[in-house]
Amino acid sequence: MEESIKQPQTSVGQESSNGSDNEQVYPDTEDVNSDATEEVPSDRGGLGRRLLWIGAVVLTATVSATVGATLALITPLSPIISSNAPGQNSLNDTWGKGFQYRLARPVNILVMGIDRLNDSPDNSPDAFTGNSDTMLLLRLDPTDHSVKMLSIPRDTRVEIPGVGAQKINQANVHGGSALAAKVVSGTLNNVPIDRYVRVTTDAFGELVNLVGGVEVFVPTQMSYEDKTQKLKIDLSPGWQTLNGDQAQQFARFRQDQYGDIGRVQRQQALLKALRQRFTNPTVLAQLPKLIQVMWKYIDTNLSLEEMLALASFGINLEQDDYKMVLLPGRFSDPKEYIASYWILDEVGKDRIVREYFDQQTTVSEVETSRSLSNLRIAIQNATGEPGVSNRFAKYLADKGFTNIYIVQDWPDQESQTQIIVQQGDLRKAADLKRVLGVGHIEAASIGDLESDITLRIGEDWLNTVKD
C-alpha cells in the first residue's frame, strides 16, 4: 500500500458501515468526526420536518442515483431504523438526538456506482469490486452552505498506480475504494477526499419504483438493444413519468454522438427529477422503508455521527445551493488511442478544482483574465417560435460578443431562459445574466459540449424584446 495513503483516525465508525472492505483509506485526510463535526443544541422540530431535511441529504447524492446512490448518504441510519430491540433508540429519538451534530468544515465525499459482478450476492464484498459505472465527487461546504457535485466520466484517461494508463472506472477493480480515491485525488490536483460511498448499480430501478417514478423530458427517440447484456431501450420523446426499468434505460442509453458524456448529462437531468420527487410529502413519509431496502446495496466508511452531521447540514438547502459540473475535456480522436477516452482539459480542470473545491492551482493568466465577450456561447431556441436563434445571435453581437454559434432548437418549450454553465464558470454566468437582464443560471453541464455557456432561450427574452 502506498505511503501517501493512510487509515482515517476516527473516534467512532472507523470501519466500513457494513464491514465489507478493510482497505478503506484516503490520502492524508483529517478525521471528519474530530474536526468536521460539532455538537449543537438539539433541534426540537417535528418528525415531518426531520423527514424533509433527511430528504435534502438524500438529494445531495441524487445525481449518482442514476446508478443507485441516491440514498447513499443516509444509509448508516438503517440498522437503527430496521431494529426495535430493547436498549436501541427509536427512529424519532435518533433523529432528535442526531441533529446535535453539524459540519464544522467542508467535506469531500467520493460516490461510486459499481457494476455488480455476475452472481455476487447482496452484502458480499464481491458486489463492490467491479468497474465504477459512475463517479461523483461531492463537496458539502458549510462556509457558503452549498453542495458541489463533480461528475467524472468513466472513460476519463488517467494513470493508475501500478497499472498504467487506463480508464478511471478501472481503479476500483484494481484497488478498491482506496485506489479509486487516490486516483481521483491525484487527477484533481490532490484535492483531499474524506470519505467514500459505493453503491451497486442494480439499486436504481428499485429506488425509482419505490418513489413512484420520475418525471423526465426525453429529448429524442431512444432505441437500442444488446442481447448479450439483456438490455433493451425503447423510449419515446417528450415529457413522461418513467418507472424503474425505463429510468435505467434513460440513464444507460449511449447510442448518440455524445456516448458516455451524454449519459452523464442525462444523469444530471435525473437528479432534478428525483429532487422534485423528494419534495412530495408522500415520498418523504416512505424514507424509512427506502433506507431499509437500499441498505443491502451500499458500502461506506461514513460513521453514524458523520451521517447525522450531513443530515443537519441539509436543513436550509435550496435548489440553487446545488451546483453540478462535468469534468471538462474532449473525446479522444480514433487515431490517438485504440480505446475511446475522455481527455482532460487541464485548464478547465484547474478552474473546477479551484472554484468548486477550493484547491490551489496554477491556472494560466489567459484563463483567469479572459473577457466575457470572448466566451464561447451556444445559442439554443426553446421558445417554439422560428428564427429566434438568429435574432438572439444578432442581439449578442450588437453587445460585443464575438464567439457565438447556434445549435439545434431544444424540442421542449421553456418559459424562462436557461444560462447553462457547461464548463463550470459560475462567475462568468452571473456576469452574462446581468448583461441579458433575464434568465436563470443552471449550474449543470446539460448544454452543448463545445460551449463555455449554453443559452437556452425562453419566452422571457421574447417578452423583453417586445417591451
Side-chain angles (χ1 to χ4, degrees):
M1 187 169 293
E2 299 289 340
E3 287 294 325
S4 60
I5 305 278
K6 66 181 182 181
Q7 182 79 20
Q9 299 301 308
T10 58
S11 57
V12 289
Q14 283 187 323
E15 297 179 357
S16 166
S17 64
N18 64 12
S20 66
D21 193 347
N22 293 323
E23 61 172 358
Q24 293 147 6
V25 289
Y26 291 87
D28 298 325
T29 60
E30 299 178 358
D31 170 33
V32 177
N33 267 347
S34 61
D35 67 352
T37 63
E38 303 176 338
E39 286 197 35
V40 297
S42 176
D43 180 354
R44 300 297 180 184
L47 179 58
R49 178 178 174 81
R50 301 197 190 290
L51 279 168
L52 177 61
W53 302 128
I54 291 291
V57 178
V58 172
L59 301 179
T60 302
T62 305
V63 71
S64 59
T66 56
V67 290
T70 303
L71 295 176
L73 296 186
I74 57 174
T75 53
L77 294 175
S78 58
I80 297 175
I81 292 170
S82 61
S83 175
N84 291 318
Q88 289 195 331
N89 292 326
S90 69
L91 178 60
N92 199 17
D93 288 341
T94 298
W95 281 334
K97 295 177 180 178
F99 281 86
Q100 300 174 56
Y101 298 93
R102 69 182 180 192
L103 293 183
R105 66 168 174 84
V107 176
N108 298 332
I109 302 174
L110 179 62
V111 181
M112 292 177 282
I114 306 298
D115 287 331
R116 181 188 288 274
L117 298 182
N118 291 336
D119 302 323
S120 59
D122 293 339
N123 301 320
S124 165
D126 292 340
F128 301 98
T129 58
N131 292 329
S132 52
D133 187 69
T134 291
M135 299 187 82
L136 176 74
L137 187 60
L138 303 179
R139 182 175 180 83
L140 294 88
D141 192 343
T143 62
D144 63 2
H145 212 75
S146 68
V147 175
K148 283 117 176 165
M149 307 179 183
L150 173 63
S151 295
I152 304 172
R154 67 179 188 176
D155 292 341
T156 302
R157 190 174 191 270
V158 297
E159 286 290 328
I160 299 179
V163 179
Q166 292 277 351
K167 295 182 178 182
I168 200 167
N169 70 339
Q170 286 283 314
N172 185 70
V173 174
H174 291 289
S177 57
L179 184 59
K182 180 180 177 66
V183 170
V184 170
S185 176
T187 301
L188 301 177
N189 299 5
N190 297 316
V191 63
I193 297 177
D194 300 295
R195 293 292 183 265
Y196 82 92
V197 175
R198 295 190 295 187
V199 182
T200 56
T201 56
D202 49 352
F204 178 56
E206 188 167 2
L207 170 64
V208 171
N209 286 332
L210 285 170
V211 301
V214 289
E215 189 177 17
V216 171
F217 180 74
V218 181
T220 187
Q221 179 70 37
M222 295 183 179
S223 299
Y224 176 72
E225 184 171 6
D226 186 335
K227 293 183 179 179
T228 61
Q229 297 185 39
K230 299 180 180 179
L231 173 64
K232 183 176 181 180
I233 297 174
D234 185 16
L235 297 175
S236 300
W239 281 102
Q240 53 201 286
T241 299
L242 305 182
N243 62 28
D245 178 64
Q246 293 169 326
Q248 286 182 312
Q249 294 177 35
F250 184 78
R252 295 183 67 184
F253 184 71
R254 297 182 66 181
Q255 307 311 118
D256 57 16
Q257 68 270 35
Y258 295 140
D260 184 52
I261 305 305
R263 290 177 67 253
V264 174
Q265 292 185 312
R266 285 186 289 278
Q267 289 168 9
Q268 294 191 1
L270 280 168
L271 162 63
K272 295 180 65 177
L274 281 163
R275 180 183 300 165
Q276 185 63 35
R277 287 299 296 150
F278 276 101
T279 63
N280 187 312
T282 303
V283 173
L284 288 176
Q286 296 298 315
L287 278 177
K289 178 182 178 181
L290 296 180
I291 295 167
Q292 294 174 40
V293 171
M294 302 306 290
W295 170 244
K296 62 185 177 182
Y297 299 108
I298 295 170
D299 167 54
T300 182
N301 64 348
L302 281 163
S303 72
L304 174 59
E305 287 79 3
E306 293 164 355
M307 192 64 268
L308 293 171
L310 299 182
S312 180
F313 173 75
I315 287 177
N316 295 312
L317 289 179
E318 303 291 345
Q319 180 175 343
D320 288 345
D321 295 327
Y322 292 85
K323 297 174 174 60
M324 299 177 289
V325 67
L326 168 70
L327 187 62
R330 63 173 177 84
F331 295 109
S332 62
D333 188 280
K335 298 179 180 178
E336 287 182 277
Y337 308 103
I338 296 176
S340 175
Y341 291 104
W342 182 249
I343 306 300
L344 287 179
D345 176 345
E346 292 293 337
V347 173
K349 178 199 72 175
D350 281 358
R351 182 181 65 250
I352 295 301
V353 298
R354 184 185 74 248
E355 295 186 8
Y356 282 65
F357 295 92
D358 197 28
Q359 190 77 352
Q360 294 300 314
T361 66
T362 55
V363 178
S364 68
E365 290 299 319
V366 173
E367 168 67 13
T368 56
S369 64
R370 63 178 182 166
S371 68
L372 183 64
S373 61
N374 286 331
L375 285 180
R376 184 163 173 77
I377 299 175
I379 300 172
Q380 185 172 50
N381 180 14
T383 66
E385 181 176 317
V388 168
S389 291
N390 288 325
R391 291 165 56 191
F392 194 83
K394 183 179 184 305
Y395 168 81
L396 287 183
D398 290 343
K399 289 185 174 294
F401 289 87
T402 60
N403 194 4
I404 55 180
Y405 64 103
I406 295 172
V407 297
Q408 185 175 358
D409 288 1
W410 182 243
D412 191 30
Q413 191 167 326
E414 301 286 351
S415 60
Q416 187 176 38
T417 297
Q418 296 179 21
I419 304 170
I420 300 172
V421 193
Q422 184 63 33
Q423 300 295 331
D425 198 335
L426 294 166
R427 297 177 185 177
K428 290 294 193 298
D431 292 342
L432 182 57
K433 181 178 179 179
R434 283 190 285 270
V435 171
L436 299 179
V438 297
H440 175 264
I441 294 176
E442 190 72 28
S445 298
I446 56 174
D448 188 76
L449 292 183
E450 301 297 322
S451 69
D452 292 316
I453 292 176
T454 295
L455 290 175
R456 191 167 287 167
I457 311 305
E459 295 174 355
D460 56 348
W461 182 75
L462 289 179
N463 295 334
T464 299
V465 174
K466 290 175 182 177
D467 293 342

